[in-house]
Amino acid sequence: MGLFRGPDFFYALRFLRLLTMPWTKTEAFKQGVIDDQGVKLKKPETPKEKSSYTIFHKLVFNIRRLLGKIPLGKSTIARYAAALYLIKEHTKISDKRLIKILKESNGVDLSEYKPELNEWYLTEDGNIEQGKYALVRDIALPKTGEFLALKGSMVEIAESQPHGSILGHAVFEAKHCKTKQTIYITQEDISR
C-alpha cells in the first residue's frame, strides 16, 4: 500500500507540482493574477482567475517564495526549518523526498546536511523549556501560509516535547500570543 490515499494523494501531488512549476507556467500567471516571481498583482475577479488563485494556491505560492529566499548555503537552513516542516506536514513526505524536491526546484542540495543545533533552550532530554519567548524572525501560520507571527512578537510554549522534526531539527508547537494561532518553531526561531 502507498503512503497516500484518495484526496491526500491528489493534494500532495498538486502541492509538489505547484512548488516546482515555473511561475510563468502557472494558471495564475496566465490569468494575470501573479507576476513572474509569484507576487500577487490583482484580486481575482473572474471565475477563471478565482480558480487559478485559491487558498491552496496562495499557501503553496507563499511557501515557494519563502523557499526562494533560502540562500544556496546550508548554514542558514535552520532559519527555514519551521517552514520546511509545514511542507512536510501538509504533504506527509519524508525528509529524503523533501531534500530531492528542494534540489530540483531551487538548486539547494541538502543531501549531506547536518544541523548545528543551538541547544540553548533545550533540556537534557531534547525537550524545550516551557514559557514565553520572542520570535527572532517572521513565521508563517500553518493554515494560511501568511506571515502574521512577526519578528519580535511573543509566543508561548506549553508542550515541551517536539511536535516533529525536519532535517534533524526538532520542531515545537507554540501559541502566538497576539493572533492566538498555533505556529511551529525551532529553538533557532526564538529568544528570551
Side-chain angles (χ1 to χ4, degrees):
M1 291 198 118
L3 178 63
F4 300 106
R5 290 189 190 132
D8 290 341
F9 181 69
F10 172 73
Y11 282 112
L13 288 179
R14 272 186 73 202
F15 183 91
L16 295 174
R17 186 170 158 259
L18 276 174
L19 188 66
T20 58
M21 180 184 291
W23 292 113
T24 56
K25 300 268 187 191
T26 66
E27 191 61 30
F29 175 82
K30 292 174 185 174
Q31 294 298 319
V33 178
I34 63 170
D35 67 12
D36 62 352
Q37 300 299 310
V39 176
K40 184 178 171 185
L41 297 174
K42 67 177 188 175
K43 182 179 178 181
E45 295 175 5
T46 69
K48 272 189 154 185
E49 290 173 351
K50 288 178 181 178
S51 69
S52 74
Y53 194 76
T54 64
I55 290 287
F56 179 78
H57 292 95
K58 186 176 179 178
L59 172 68
V60 176
F61 293 167
N62 283 343
I63 291 172
R64 183 167 172 192
R65 278 196 312 278
L66 175 69
L67 289 174
K69 294 178 183 179
I70 296 176
L72 293 179
K74 298 174 189 173
S75 62
T76 58
I77 195 66
R79 292 173 33 192
Y80 301 97
L84 292 173
Y85 181 72
L86 290 179
I87 294 170
K88 181 179 174 179
E89 281 293 289
H90 283 282
T91 61
K92 303 294 185 208
I93 62 174
S94 66
D95 282 2
K96 185 177 178 179
R97 179 74 178 127
L98 183 59
I99 287 168
K100 183 176 179 183
I101 290 166
L102 286 171
K103 185 174 183 179
E104 290 173 0
S105 65
N106 293 313
V108 178
D109 184 4
L110 298 174
S111 57
E112 300 295 320
Y113 176 72
K114 299 285 186 241
E116 295 177 22
L117 296 178
N118 170 6
E119 297 177 354
W120 188 255
Y121 303 118
L122 297 183
T123 62
E124 289 180 16
D125 55 0
N127 294 335
I128 198 163
E129 296 177 12
Q130 295 177 349
K132 288 192 177 185
Y133 297 87
L135 291 175
V136 298
R137 64 186 54 87
D138 297 346
I139 303 288
L141 298 180
K143 292 182 181 177
T144 64
E146 293 181 274
F147 289 92
L148 297 180
L150 303 177
K151 179 180 177 178
S153 61
M154 299 300 290
V155 297
E156 185 167 5
I157 297 175
E159 177 63 42
S160 60
Q161 292 184 336
H163 186 268
S165 68
I166 183 75
L167 303 174
H169 293 274
V171 177
F172 300 93
E173 193 173 271
K175 178 80 71 175
H176 186 247
C177 294
K178 184 176 180 180
T179 65
K180 306 296 185 214
Q181 297 289 317
T182 298
I183 62 172
Y184 297 103
I185 55 102
T186 66
Q187 67 270 23
E188 287 88 359
D189 295 324
I190 56 175
S191 70
R192 285 272 184 185

CSV table of all heavy atoms in Angstrom, one decimal, residues 61-117:
chain,number,residue,atom,x,y,z
A,61,PHE,N,2.2,29.2,-3.0
A,61,PHE,CA,3.0,30.3,-3.5
A,61,PHE,C,3.7,31.0,-2.4
A,61,PHE,O,4.9,31.4,-2.6
A,61,PHE,CB,2.1,31.3,-4.3
A,61,PHE,CG,1.5,30.7,-5.6
A,61,PHE,CD1,0.5,31.4,-6.2
A,61,PHE,CD2,1.9,29.5,-6.1
A,61,PHE,CE1,-0.1,31.0,-7.4
A,61,PHE,CE2,1.4,29.0,-7.3
A,61,PHE,CZ,0.4,29.8,-7.9
A,62,ASN,N,3.1,31.2,-1.2
A,62,ASN,CA,3.8,31.8,-0.1
A,62,ASN,C,5.0,30.9,0.3
A,62,ASN,O,6.1,31.4,0.6
A,62,ASN,CB,2.8,32.1,1.0
A,62,ASN,CG,1.9,33.2,0.8
A,62,ASN,OD1,2.2,34.1,0.0
A,62,ASN,ND2,0.9,33.3,1.6
A,63,ILE,N,4.8,29.6,0.5
A,63,ILE,CA,5.8,28.7,0.9
A,63,ILE,C,6.9,28.7,-0.2
A,63,ILE,O,8.1,28.8,0.1
A,63,ILE,CB,5.3,27.3,1.2
A,63,ILE,CG1,4.4,27.4,2.4
A,63,ILE,CG2,6.4,26.3,1.3
A,63,ILE,CD1,3.7,26.1,2.7
A,64,ARG,N,6.5,28.7,-1.4
A,64,ARG,CA,7.5,28.7,-2.5
A,64,ARG,C,8.4,30.0,-2.5
A,64,ARG,O,9.6,29.9,-2.7
A,64,ARG,CB,6.8,28.6,-3.9
A,64,ARG,CG,7.8,28.5,-5.0
A,64,ARG,CD,7.1,28.1,-6.2
A,64,ARG,NE,8.0,28.2,-7.3
A,64,ARG,CZ,7.7,28.1,-8.6
A,64,ARG,NH1,6.5,27.9,-8.9
A,64,ARG,NH2,8.6,28.2,-9.5
A,65,ARG,N,7.7,31.1,-2.3
A,65,ARG,CA,8.5,32.4,-2.2
A,65,ARG,C,9.5,32.4,-1.0
A,65,ARG,O,10.6,32.8,-1.1
A,65,ARG,CB,7.6,33.6,-2.2
A,65,ARG,CG,7.1,34.0,-3.6
A,65,ARG,CD,6.5,35.4,-3.6
A,65,ARG,NE,5.6,35.7,-2.5
A,65,ARG,CZ,4.3,35.3,-2.5
A,65,ARG,NH1,3.8,34.7,-3.5
A,65,ARG,NH2,3.5,35.6,-1.5
A,66,LEU,N,9.0,31.8,0.1
A,66,LEU,CA,9.9,31.7,1.2
A,66,LEU,C,11.1,30.8,0.9
A,66,LEU,O,12.2,31.1,1.2
A,66,LEU,CB,9.1,31.1,2.4
A,66,LEU,CG,9.9,30.8,3.7
A,66,LEU,CD1,10.4,32.1,4.3
A,66,LEU,CD2,9.1,29.9,4.6
A,67,LEU,N,10.8,29.7,0.3
A,67,LEU,CA,11.9,28.8,-0.1
A,67,LEU,C,12.9,29.5,-1.1
A,67,LEU,O,14.1,29.2,-1.1
A,67,LEU,CB,11.4,27.5,-0.7
A,67,LEU,CG,10.7,26.5,0.2
A,67,LEU,CD1,10.1,25.4,-0.6
A,67,LEU,CD2,11.7,26.0,1.3
A,68,GLY,N,12.3,30.3,-1.9
A,68,GLY,CA,13.2,31.1,-2.9
A,68,GLY,C,14.1,32.0,-2.2
A,68,GLY,O,15.1,32.5,-2.8
A,69,LYS,N,13.9,32.4,-0.9
A,69,LYS,CA,14.7,33.3,-0.2
A,69,LYS,C,15.9,32.5,0.5
A,69,LYS,O,16.8,33.1,1.1
A,69,LYS,CB,13.9,34.0,0.9
A,69,LYS,CG,12.9,35.0,0.3
A,69,LYS,CD,12.1,35.6,1.4
A,69,LYS,CE,11.0,36.5,0.9
A,69,LYS,NZ,10.3,37.2,1.9
A,70,ILE,N,15.8,31.2,0.5
A,70,ILE,CA,16.9,30.4,1.1
A,70,ILE,C,18.2,30.6,0.3
A,70,ILE,O,18.3,30.3,-0.8
A,70,ILE,CB,16.6,28.9,1.2
A,70,ILE,CG1,15.3,28.7,2.0
A,70,ILE,CG2,17.7,28.1,1.7
A,70,ILE,CD1,14.9,27.2,2.0
A,71,PRO,N,19.2,31.1,1.0
A,71,PRO,CA,20.5,31.3,0.4
A,71,PRO,C,21.0,29.9,0.0
A,71,PRO,O,20.6,28.9,0.6
A,71,PRO,CB,21.4,31.9,1.4
A,71,PRO,CG,20.5,32.5,2.4
A,71,PRO,CD,19.2,31.6,2.4
A,72,LEU,N,21.8,29.8,-1.0
A,72,LEU,CA,22.3,28.5,-1.5
A,72,LEU,C,23.3,27.8,-0.6
A,72,LEU,O,23.9,26.8,-1.0
A,72,LEU,CB,22.8,28.6,-2.9
A,72,LEU,CG,21.8,29.0,-4.0
A,72,LEU,CD1,22.4,29.1,-5.4
A,72,LEU,CD2,20.6,28.0,-4.0
A,73,GLY,N,23.5,28.4,0.6
A,73,GLY,CA,24.4,27.8,1.5
A,73,GLY,C,23.6,27.0,2.6
A,73,GLY,O,22.4,27.3,2.8
A,74,LYS,N,24.2,26.0,3.1
A,74,LYS,CA,23.5,25.1,4.1
A,74,LYS,C,23.5,25.7,5.5
A,74,LYS,O,22.7,25.3,6.3
A,74,LYS,CB,24.2,23.8,4.2
A,74,LYS,CG,24.1,23.0,2.9
A,74,LYS,CD,24.9,21.8,3.0
A,74,LYS,CE,25.1,21.1,1.6
A,74,LYS,NZ,26.0,20.0,1.6
A,75,SER,N,24.3,26.7,5.8
A,75,SER,CA,24.4,27.3,7.1
A,75,SER,C,23.2,28.0,7.6
A,75,SER,O,23.0,28.1,8.8
A,75,SER,CB,25.7,28.2,7.2
A,75,SER,OG,25.5,29.3,6.3
A,76,THR,N,22.3,28.4,6.7
A,76,THR,CA,21.2,29.2,7.2
A,76,THR,C,19.9,28.4,7.1
A,76,THR,O,18.8,28.9,7.3
A,76,THR,CB,21.0,30.4,6.3
A,76,THR,OG1,20.9,30.0,5.0
A,76,THR,CG2,22.1,31.4,6.5
A,77,ILE,N,20.0,27.1,6.8
A,77,ILE,CA,18.8,26.3,6.7
A,77,ILE,C,18.0,26.2,8.0
A,77,ILE,O,16.7,26.1,7.9
A,77,ILE,CB,19.1,24.8,6.2
A,77,ILE,CG1,17.8,24.1,5.7
A,77,ILE,CG2,19.8,24.0,7.2
A,77,ILE,CD1,17.2,24.7,4.5
A,78,ALA,N,18.6,26.3,9.1
A,78,ALA,CA,17.9,26.3,10.4
A,78,ALA,C,16.9,27.4,10.5
A,78,ALA,O,15.8,27.3,11.1
A,78,ALA,CB,18.9,26.4,11.5
A,79,ARG,N,17.1,28.5,9.8
A,79,ARG,CA,16.2,29.6,9.8
A,79,ARG,C,14.9,29.3,9.1
A,79,ARG,O,13.9,29.9,9.4
A,79,ARG,CB,16.8,30.9,9.2
A,79,ARG,CG,18.0,31.4,10.0
A,79,ARG,CD,18.8,32.5,9.4
A,79,ARG,NE,18.0,33.4,8.5
A,79,ARG,CZ,18.5,34.2,7.7
A,79,ARG,NH1,19.9,34.3,7.6
A,79,ARG,NH2,17.8,35.0,6.9
A,80,TYR,N,14.9,28.3,8.3
A,80,TYR,CA,13.7,28.0,7.5
A,80,TYR,C,13.2,26.6,7.9
A,80,TYR,O,12.3,26.1,7.2
A,80,TYR,CB,14.1,28.0,6.0
A,80,TYR,CG,14.6,29.3,5.6
A,80,TYR,CD1,15.9,29.6,5.5
A,80,TYR,CD2,13.7,30.4,5.3
A,80,TYR,CE1,16.4,30.9,5.2
A,80,TYR,CE2,14.1,31.6,5.0
A,80,TYR,CZ,15.5,31.9,4.9
A,80,TYR,OH,16.0,33.1,4.6
A,81,ALA,N,13.7,26.0,8.9
A,81,ALA,CA,13.3,24.7,9.3
A,81,ALA,C,11.8,24.6,9.6
A,81,ALA,O,11.1,23.6,9.2
A,81,ALA,CB,14.1,24.1,10.5
A,82,ALA,N,11.2,25.6,10.3
A,82,ALA,CA,9.8,25.5,10.6
A,82,ALA,C,8.9,25.6,9.4
A,82,ALA,O,7.9,24.9,9.2
A,82,ALA,CB,9.4,26.7,11.6
A,83,ALA,N,9.3,26.4,8.4
A,83,ALA,CA,8.6,26.5,7.1
A,83,ALA,C,8.7,25.2,6.4
A,83,ALA,O,7.7,24.7,5.8
A,83,ALA,CB,9.1,27.6,6.3
A,84,LEU,N,9.8,24.6,6.3
A,84,LEU,CA,10.0,23.3,5.7
A,84,LEU,C,9.2,22.2,6.4
A,84,LEU,O,8.6,21.3,5.7
A,84,LEU,CB,11.5,22.9,5.6
A,84,LEU,CG,12.4,23.7,4.8
A,84,LEU,CD1,13.8,23.3,5.0
A,84,LEU,CD2,12.0,23.6,3.3
A,85,TYR,N,9.1,22.3,7.7
A,85,TYR,CA,8.2,21.4,8.4
A,85,TYR,C,6.8,21.5,8.0
A,85,TYR,O,6.1,20.5,7.9
A,85,TYR,CB,8.4,21.7,9.9
A,85,TYR,CG,7.6,20.7,10.8
A,85,TYR,CD1,8.0,19.4,10.9
A,85,TYR,CD2,6.4,21.1,11.4
A,85,TYR,CE1,7.2,18.5,11.7
A,85,TYR,CE2,5.7,20.2,12.2
A,85,TYR,CZ,6.1,18.9,12.3
A,85,TYR,OH,5.3,18.0,13.0
A,86,LEU,N,6.3,22.7,7.7
A,86,LEU,CA,4.9,22.9,7.2
A,86,LEU,C,4.7,22.1,5.9
A,86,LEU,O,3.7,21.5,5.7
A,86,LEU,CB,4.6,24.4,7.0
A,86,LEU,CG,4.5,25.2,8.3
A,86,LEU,CD1,4.2,26.6,7.9
A,86,LEU,CD2,3.4,24.7,9.2
A,87,ILE,N,5.7,22.2,5.0
A,87,ILE,CA,5.6,21.5,3.8
A,87,ILE,C,5.6,20.0,4.1
A,87,ILE,O,4.7,19.2,3.5
A,87,ILE,CB,6.8,21.8,2.9
A,87,ILE,CG1,6.8,23.3,2.4
A,87,ILE,CG2,6.9,20.9,1.7
A,87,ILE,CD1,8.0,23.7,1.8
A,88,LYS,N,6.4,19.5,4.9
A,88,LYS,CA,6.5,18.1,5.3
A,88,LYS,C,5.1,17.6,5.9
A,88,LYS,O,4.6,16.6,5.5
A,88,LYS,CB,7.6,17.9,6.3
A,88,LYS,CG,7.8,16.4,6.7
A,88,LYS,CD,9.0,16.3,7.6
A,88,LYS,CE,9.1,14.9,8.2
A,88,LYS,NZ,10.2,14.7,9.1
A,89,GLU,N,4.6,18.5,6.8
A,89,GLU,CA,3.3,18.1,7.4
A,89,GLU,C,2.2,18.1,6.4
A,89,GLU,O,1.3,17.2,6.5
A,89,GLU,CB,3.0,19.1,8.5
A,89,GLU,CG,3.7,18.8,9.8
A,89,GLU,CD,3.3,17.5,10.5
A,89,GLU,OE1,2.2,17.4,11.0
A,89,GLU,OE2,4.1,16.6,10.4
A,90,HIS,N,2.1,19.1,5.5
A,90,HIS,CA,1.0,19.1,4.6
A,90,HIS,C,1.0,18.0,3.6
A,90,HIS,O,0.0,17.6,3.0
A,90,HIS,CB,0.9,20.5,3.9
A,90,HIS,CG,0.4,21.6,4.8
A,90,HIS,ND1,-1.0,21.7,5.0
A,90,HIS,CD2,1.0,22.5,5.5
A,90,HIS,CE1,-1.2,22.7,5.9
A,90,HIS,NE2,0.0,23.2,6.2
A,91,THR,N,2.2,17.6,3.2
A,91,THR,CA,2.4,16.6,2.1
A,91,THR,C,2.7,15.2,2.6
A,91,THR,O,2.6,14.2,1.9
A,91,THR,CB,3.5,17.0,1.2
A,91,THR,OG1,4.7,17.1,1.9
A,91,THR,CG2,3.2,18.3,0.5
A,92,LYS,N,3.0,15.1,3.9
A,92,LYS,CA,3.4,13.8,4.5
A,92,LYS,C,4.6,13.1,3.8
A,92,LYS,O,4.6,11.9,3.7
A,92,LYS,CB,2.2,12.8,4.6
A,92,LYS,CG,1.0,13.4,5.3
A,92,LYS,CD,1.2,13.6,6.8
A,92,LYS,CE,0.0,14.0,7.4
A,92,LYS,NZ,0.2,14.8,8.6
A,93,ILE,N,5.5,14.0,3.3
A,93,ILE,CA,6.6,13.4,2.6
A,93,ILE,C,7.8,13.2,3.6
A,93,ILE,O,7.8,13.9,4.6
A,93,ILE,CB,7.1,14.3,1.4
A,93,ILE,CG1,7.5,15.7,1.8
A,93,ILE,CG2,6.0,14.3,0.4
A,93,ILE,CD1,8.1,16.5,0.7
A,94,SER,N,8.7,12.4,3.2
A,94,SER,CA,9.9,12.2,4.1
A,94,SER,C,10.9,13.3,3.9
A,94,SER,O,10.9,14.1,2.9
A,94,SER,CB,10.5,10.9,3.7
A,94,SER,OG,11.1,11.0,2.4
A,95,ASP,N,11.9,13.4,4.8
A,95,ASP,CA,13.0,14.4,4.7
A,95,ASP,C,13.7,14.1,3.4
A,95,ASP,O,14.1,15.0,2.7
A,95,ASP,CB,13.9,14.3,5.9
A,95,ASP,CG,13.4,14.9,7.1
A,95,ASP,OD1,12.3,15.5,7.1
A,95,ASP,OD2,14.1,14.9,8.2
A,96,LYS,N,13.9,12.8,3.1
A,96,LYS,CA,14.7,12.5,1.9
A,96,LYS,C,14.0,13.0,0.6
A,96,LYS,O,14.7,13.6,-0.2
A,96,LYS,CB,14.8,10.9,1.8
A,96,LYS,CG,15.7,10.5,0.7
A,96,LYS,CD,15.8,8.9,0.7
A,96,LYS,CE,16.6,8.4,-0.4
A,96,LYS,NZ,16.8,7.0,-0.4
A,97,ARG,N,12.7,12.8,0.5
A,97,ARG,CA,11.9,13.4,-0.6
A,97,ARG,C,12.0,14.9,-0.7
A,97,ARG,O,12.1,15.5,-1.7
A,97,ARG,CB,10.5,12.8,-0.6
A,97,ARG,CG,9.7,13.3,-1.8
A,97,ARG,CD,10.0,12.6,-3.0
A,97,ARG,NE,9.1,13.1,-4.1
A,97,ARG,CZ,9.5,13.5,-5.2
A,97,ARG,NH1,10.8,13.6,-5.5
A,97,ARG,NH2,8.7,14.0,-6.1
A,98,LEU,N,11.8,15.5,0.5
A,98,LEU,CA,11.9,17.0,0.6
A,98,LEU,C,13.2,17.5,0.1
A,98,LEU,O,13.3,18.5,-0.6
A,98,LEU,CB,11.6,17.5,2.0
A,98,LEU,CG,11.5,19.0,2.2
A,98,LEU,CD1,10.4,19.6,1.3
A,98,LEU,CD2,11.3,19.3,3.7
A,99,ILE,N,14.3,16.8,0.5
A,99,ILE,CA,15.7,17.2,0.0
A,99,ILE,C,15.7,17.2,-1.5
A,99,ILE,O,16.3,18.1,-2.1
A,99,ILE,CB,16.7,16.3,0.7
A,99,ILE,CG1,16.9,16.7,2.2
A,99,ILE,CG2,18.1,16.4,0.0
A,99,ILE,CD1,17.7,15.7,3.0
A,100,LYS,N,15.2,16.1,-2.1
A,100,LYS,CA,15.2,15.9,-3.5
A,100,LYS,C,14.4,17.1,-4.2
A,100,LYS,O,14.8,17.6,-5.2
A,100,LYS,CB,14.6,14.6,-3.9
A,100,LYS,CG,14.7,14.3,-5.4
A,100,LYS,CD,14.2,12.9,-5.7
A,100,LYS,CE,14.2,12.7,-7.2
A,100,LYS,NZ,13.7,11.4,-7.6
A,101,ILE,N,13.2,17.4,-3.6
A,101,ILE,CA,12.4,18.5,-4.2
A,101,ILE,C,13.1,19.8,-4.1
A,101,ILE,O,13.1,20.6,-5.1
A,101,ILE,CB,11.0,18.5,-3.5
A,101,ILE,CG1,10.2,17.2,-3.9
A,101,ILE,CG2,10.3,19.8,-3.9
A,101,ILE,CD1,9.0,17.0,-3.0
A,102,LEU,N,13.7,20.1,-3.0
A,102,LEU,CA,14.4,21.4,-2.9
A,102,LEU,C,15.6,21.5,-3.9
A,102,LEU,O,15.8,22.5,-4.4
A,102,LEU,CB,15.0,21.5,-1.4
A,102,LEU,CG,14.0,21.8,-0.4
A,102,LEU,CD1,14.6,21.7,1.0
A,102,LEU,CD2,13.4,23.2,-0.6
A,103,LYS,N,16.2,20.4,-4.1
A,103,LYS,CA,17.3,20.4,-5.1
A,103,LYS,C,16.8,20.6,-6.5
A,103,LYS,O,17.3,21.4,-7.3
A,103,LYS,CB,18.1,19.1,-5.0
A,103,LYS,CG,19.3,19.1,-6.0
A,103,LYS,CD,20.2,17.9,-5.8
A,103,LYS,CE,21.4,17.9,-6.6
A,103,LYS,NZ,22.3,16.8,-6.5
A,104,GLU,N,15.7,19.9,-6.8
A,104,GLU,CA,15.1,20.1,-8.2
A,104,GLU,C,14.5,21.5,-8.4
A,104,GLU,O,14.6,22.0,-9.5
A,104,GLU,CB,14.0,19.0,-8.4
A,104,GLU,CG,14.6,17.6,-8.5
A,104,GLU,CD,13.5,16.6,-8.6
A,104,GLU,OE1,12.3,16.9,-8.5
A,104,GLU,OE2,13.9,15.4,-8.7
A,105,SER,N,13.8,22.0,-7.4
A,105,SER,CA,13.1,23.3,-7.5
A,105,SER,C,14.0,24.5,-7.3
A,105,SER,O,13.7,25.5,-8.0
A,105,SER,CB,11.9,23.3,-6.6
A,105,SER,OG,12.3,23.4,-5.3
A,106,ASN,N,14.9,24.5,-6.4
A,106,ASN,CA,15.7,25.7,-6.1
A,106,ASN,C,17.2,25.5,-6.2
A,106,ASN,O,18.0,26.4,-5.9
A,106,ASN,CB,15.3,26.1,-4.7
A,106,ASN,CG,13.9,26.6,-4.6
A,106,ASN,OD1,13.5,27.4,-5.4
A,106,ASN,ND2,13.2,26.2,-3.6
A,107,GLY,N,17.7,24.3,-6.5
A,107,GLY,CA,19.1,24.1,-6.6
A,107,GLY,C,19.8,23.9,-5.3
A,107,GLY,O,21.0,23.9,-5.2
A,108,VAL,N,19.0,23.8,-4.2
A,108,VAL,CA,19.6,23.7,-2.8
A,108,VAL,C,19.9,22.2,-2.6
A,108,VAL,O,18.9,21.4,-2.5
A,108,VAL,CB,18.7,24.3,-1.8
A,108,VAL,CG1,19.2,24.1,-0.4
A,108,VAL,CG2,18.4,25.7,-2.0
A,109,ASP,N,21.1,21.8,-2.4
A,109,ASP,CA,21.5,20.4,-2.1
A,109,ASP,C,21.7,20.2,-0.6
A,109,ASP,O,22.7,20.7,-0.1
A,109,ASP,CB,22.7,20.0,-2.9
A,109,ASP,CG,23.0,18.5,-2.8
A,109,ASP,OD1,22.2,17.8,-2.1
A,109,ASP,OD2,24.0,18.1,-3.4
A,110,LEU,N,20.8,19.6,0.0
A,110,LEU,CA,20.9,19.3,1.4
A,110,LEU,C,21.2,17.8,1.7
A,110,LEU,O,21.0,17.4,2.9
A,110,LEU,CB,19.6,19.8,2.2
A,110,LEU,CG,19.3,21.2,2.0
A,110,LEU,CD1,18.0,21.5,2.7
A,110,LEU,CD2,20.4,22.1,2.7
A,111,SER,N,21.6,17.1,0.8
A,111,SER,CA,21.8,15.7,0.9
A,111,SER,C,22.8,15.3,2.0
A,111,SER,O,22.7,14.3,2.6
A,111,SER,CB,22.2,15.0,-0.4
A,111,SER,OG,23.3,15.6,-0.9
A,112,GLU,N,23.8,16.2,2.2
A,112,GLU,CA,24.8,15.9,3.2
A,112,GLU,C,24.7,16.9,4.4
A,112,GLU,O,25.6,17.0,5.3
A,112,GLU,CB,26.2,16.2,2.6
A,112,GLU,CG,26.5,15.2,1.5
A,112,GLU,CD,26.6,13.8,1.9
A,112,GLU,OE1,27.2,13.5,2.9
A,112,GLU,OE2,26.1,12.9,1.1
A,113,TYR,N,23.5,17.5,4.6
A,113,TYR,CA,23.3,18.5,5.6
A,113,TYR,C,23.2,17.8,7.0
A,113,TYR,O,22.5,16.8,7.2
A,113,TYR,CB,21.9,19.2,5.4
A,113,TYR,CG,21.6,20.2,6.4
A,113,TYR,CD1,22.2,21.4,6.6
A,113,TYR,CD2,20.5,19.9,7.3
A,113,TYR,CE1,21.9,22.2,7.6
A,113,TYR,CE2,20.2,20.7,8.3
A,113,TYR,CZ,20.9,21.9,8.5
A,113,TYR,OH,20.5,22.8,9.5
A,114,LYS,N,24.0,18.4,7.9
A,114,LYS,CA,23.9,18.0,9.3
A,114,LYS,C,23.7,19.3,10.1
A,114,LYS,O,24.5,20.2,10.0
A,114,LYS,CB,25.3,17.4,9.8
A,114,LYS,CG,25.6,16.1,9.0
A,114,LYS,CD,24.8,15.0,9.4
A,114,LYS,CE,25.2,13.7,8.8
A,114,LYS,NZ,24.3,13.1,8.0
A,115,PRO,N,22.7,19.3,10.9
A,115,PRO,CA,22.4,20.6,11.6
A,115,PRO,C,23.4,20.9,12.7
A,115,PRO,O,23.9,20.0,13.4
A,115,PRO,CB,21.0,20.3,12.3
A,115,PRO,CG,20.9,18.8,12.4
A,115,PRO,CD,21.7,18.3,11.2
A,116,GLU,N,23.6,22.2,12.9
A,116,GLU,CA,24.4,22.6,14.0
A,116,GLU,C,23.4,23.2,15.0
A,116,GLU,O,22.9,24.3,14.9
A,116,GLU,CB,25.4,23.8,13.6
A,116,GLU,CG,26.4,23.3,12.6
A,116,GLU,CD,27.3,24.5,12.1
A,116,GLU,OE1,27.4,25.5,12.8
A,116,GLU,OE2,27.9,24.3,11.1
A,117,LEU,N,23.0,22.3,15.9
A,117,LEU,CA,22.0,22.7,16.8
A,117,LEU,C,22.4,23.6,17.9
A,117,LEU,O,23.4,23.5,18.6
A,117,LEU,CB,21.4,21.4,17.5
A,117,LEU,CG,20.7,20.4,16.5
A,117,LEU,CD1,20.2,19.2,17.2
A,117,LEU,CD2,19.6,21.1,15.7
